[in-house]
Amino acid sequence: MKIVNNNSKVKEIISNVENKLNNNFGTTLEEATRDELYKAGAGCIRDDIMHLWTKSRKKTEDLGLKKLYYMSAEFLMGRAYSNNLINSGVFRDYKEAFEKMGIDFDDILDEESDPGLGNGGLGRLAACFLDSLSTLNLPAIGCGIRYEYGLFQQKIIDGSQVEVEDDWLRDGFVWEVERPELTMEVRFNGEIRENWTEDGLKIEHYNYHTVLAVPYDVPVMGYKTNAPATLRLWSAKSKQNFDLHSFNEGRYEKASADSEFAEVISKVLYPADDHMQGKLLRLKQFYFLTSATMQLMVKHHKGKRGDLHTLPEYAAVQINDTHPTLAIPELMRILMDEEGFGWEEAEDIVSQIFNYTNHTIMAEALECWDENMFKLLLPRIYQIICVMNQKYCERLRTYYPNDEAKIAYMAIIGNNQIRMANLCVAVCHRVNGVSQLHGDILKTNLFHDSYNIYPQKFLAITNGITHRRWLALANPELCDLIQDNVRGDLLGDYRLFEKIMPMADDAEFCRKYDAIKQRNKRRLAKYLKQKQGIEINPDSLIDVQCKRLHEYKRQLLKCLHIIYLYKQVKKNPDFLSKPITFIFGAKAAPGYQRAKEIIRLINSIGDMVNNDPATKDKMQVVFVENYSVSVAEVLIPAADISEQLSTAGLEASGTGNMKFMMNGALTLGTMDGANVEIFEQVGKENIFIFGATVDEINSMKQYRTYNPGTIFEQNPMIREVCNCLIAGELPRYGKRKYSDIYQSLLFGEHNIPDQYFVLYDLPSYVEEFEKVYDMYINHHDEWVKKAVINTAKSGFFSSDRTIEEYNEKIWNLPTYK
Ligand SMILES: *Cc1c(COP(=O)(O)O)cnc(C)c1O
């Protein structure tokens, strides 16, 4: 029963919203559009956050607290409004206020566009980290690029992915503050002259292009924080808005060329994930980001403290993957060319400040730049890297005196390429992997030779996710249930998750827990109906694989398994006693043909399965369009099964796996990345593991013992499933069969058939899925108990734990009080 509302907070919110509507939009509650209502409501909480932010930034400076610069080419933030309300502890009050005004609050939240300034896990990690840094009151600033267009929006038309531009800034972005007074100049191209003067060697850079870097700051409100973090996004602008002089002289093209050179830099986010392209514009973006950030960091420190030698006491820089690596030579340049430091002096500072997080060991993802392209665009940075390389190789020779092959392999420059990961390993104070397994692989494999020389440099810190967004915001009912059963404040203390362990044996708790899952499934069903016109059975088992589309993530393995089940149900109508809904969500990089082909395949399989009278009531395949943070927030809480199928050794950590676990989906996965640690947390009874281990995969590669052709010949199930790809039973979107995929499995590319071991792992996957299904159908109470245990053990995967570890082992930041 609802009692008449006396809550003064709610009244205050209503009055604030009305004032904002009047003052900022010249409208009233009755006449306002949804967009105006969103902006007025967001403006109210924004006022509170701004106040806290301004105050704490000043105090941080006055106290001279050390600060983290978290540099990343991507920040996949998701919507801010609901998150800011939750972290400010006023979500319920706002919801009630809007409802009192007769407005559906969910509709208002849905007005906000999702700033998609990232591709996938790497960008989302950066966003979770800012939330935790802010929550833990650690002074931090995230530095990135204000891409005018984020990652594309995905539509599925005739079974294929179609990319639509993501004009996320169209209606304005209410959370940012432009800071024109902090504009920096970034220089590209030109030539370098070395002048010997009375003060020694002076470097002169001339004939360069100047681009202005204008920062836009966004406050990141952590949970009950006193010190909101800052996300600083740099936008590129031409120095002369328009070159009137050239224009007047009739040189119209020159007049606009400059502004084009500049403004294209922050136009779009490159849509490739875990794949490196070596494009000039991308190099421009990275230098733009790193140069602006380093210049401002130096200027700021000089202004506050005077002496740049003390910089390492006041600043730590974390480089999220190699994208921002140019910050290293750029800081060398500033210290030497602009501040008069000698090489050793500059190097000493740089080697204390920078740390590097590696996110992948896959060769195609390791960043390399063509030396000639690099030299033209960044002539001075090129010189500095050449010297770094020379000195590094000399040092290596003292450790490996007779091994030039090893030194060539470890060098920063080789085969006319500049290798960013090697640069980071050469210079950085700490190099970390993102799960224990991945950290081990860095030591034994990718950076093995460097690890032998500098073992103290390498460490592993397992990724995490913020439980504010991924539990409180995405699954409020489950969050309340846990909170009701623990003492203390769950959102501020991830250690409390464990306290619900005993509830796994409490029938009443489990009943409530299961009922929440059922309601989340209904919420998803409603969402799919509304957004895509698709009806799903909310009482079915919901099996979800959502993440970027990549061959190593093996959406193809899931496809083959669905084909297998389809064939079984056709043969035996009783094969599945309860229906299953298979849900995929995945964007493919627009240039990644094989990935797009797999999307087409998923939709073909869906067409076949969903329309066949023999199977349509037993199985359904759904492809959810435009997988993004907002979609994930609806999808993950509804999942029963979390599909984590990467080829062992290739998923550095994964964070999707953690979101599912926290929301009570059971993992069906390989021993890869953080799956290994989920296994360790929950124990073997509460997770479903299949497939080859890293050691098994490595041994098959080393001794070339894997031959999918043999498996194909000997295993009739595999034969039947593979043949389906080319037999013509699948509806053929775009008139083509799936012979390329078939070929790649059996004959391969560059003579490596099935390089992701899909067919090798399929039999053990089929077997493990049967156990999953049996457990879900026939031992449902046990299933729910396992789900509760997963939630209870998910506290370890809160990014608060991750950030605490980074801070202890790498940054040593003080807490703002
Ligand atoms: C968490 C997340 C990812 C990462 O998922 P993985 O399964 O770890 O690859 C990618 N995209 C979005 C939108 C996410 O929220």
Side-chain angles (χ1 to χ4, degrees), residues 682-695:
V682 301
K684 65 179 185 328
E685 301 302 316
N686 300 302
I687 187 169
F688 298 91
I689 298 292
F690 75 97
T693 61
V694 175
D695 289 344

Side-chain angles (χ1 to χ4, degrees), residues 92 99 195 264:
R92 258 157 247 233
E99 264 142 36
N195 298 324
V264 71

